[in-house]
Amino acid sequence: CGAITHTHHRGAPREGLVRVAVAQTSHVQSIGIDTEMVMGPPLAACLAKRIASAQELELAGAMPPAVFLTLIFSLKESVYKCLYPLTQTFLGFHDVSLVACDAGLVSLRLERAAGTFEPLSEFTLSYEIDTDAVHTKMVLDANFVTVGPTFNL
């Protein structure tokens, strides 16, 4: 299985970034990756309520608000990209919640069912933030079984 993501630098449409992830299906069921250029503060303020709940935004810690909102957006995109091929279920931004955020690792929770994934299922994702972009990844192990509410990947 595999995944691809791409983005363009603001003001430089011919400059961008492409990331690809590939794994053997004997090891991995699905992969979701995303890369986003960090939103400007005005755009982040405009989109905040569409992307995240007040509880999610409280997890920002010392991270600048626009960077944190870009991270939440990208994490939720990675969850969608990972689960959709398996479930054929559309997940909106408020169907997935950020519940914990640590340096490089986060936990997200489904707020509604998606295929065989029950509400309150939790997933661990990884992320990196560089100068002007956020990169996120969700990997669903081949041995993953949907039998309980919490899963670490």
Side-chain angles (χ1 to χ4, degrees), residues 8-140:
H8 295 284
H9 291 283
R10 265 181 258 133
R14 294 181 188 257
E15 293 182 27
L17 179 66
V18 174
R19 286 189 165 202
V20 176
V22 180
Q24 293 181 337
T25 55
S26 59
H27 300 294
V28 173
Q29 285 185 56
S30 189
I31 303 171
I33 59 174
D34 190 58
T35 293
E36 299 291 336
M37 301 308 296
V38 174
M39 296 178 198
L43 180 59
C46 178
L47 295 178
K49 289 182 181 176
R50 293 181 183 182
I51 295 170
S53 69
Q55 293 83 4
E56 291 173 297
L57 295 173
E58 289 174 4
L59 298 172
M63 197 178 299
V67 174
F68 192 65
L69 191 66
T70 305
L71 175 61
I72 293 173
F73 179 94
S74 185
L75 289 164
K76 292 180 179 188
E77 285 288 309
S78 286
V79 171
Y80 175 78
K81 291 175 179 181
C82 187
L83 295 183
Y84 186 82
L86 302 174
T87 66
Q88 301 296 297
T89 302
F90 173 79
L91 293 170
F93 288 112
H94 292 285
D95 293 331
V96 181
S97 295
L98 178 65
V99 293
C101 186
D102 199 3
L105 290 175
V106 297
S107 294
L108 280 88
R109 176 180 62 220
L110 286 179
E111 298 299 337
R112 68 178 187 94
T116 59
F117 298 92
E118 298 177 5
L120 306 182
S121 296
E122 288 190 15
F123 306 96
T124 300
L125 285 76
S126 60
Y127 73 89
E128 295 176 19
I129 299 173
D130 61 32
T131 306
D132 57 358
V134 171
H135 315 281
T136 59
K137 174 179 68 178
M138 178 175 167
V139 178
L140 198 59

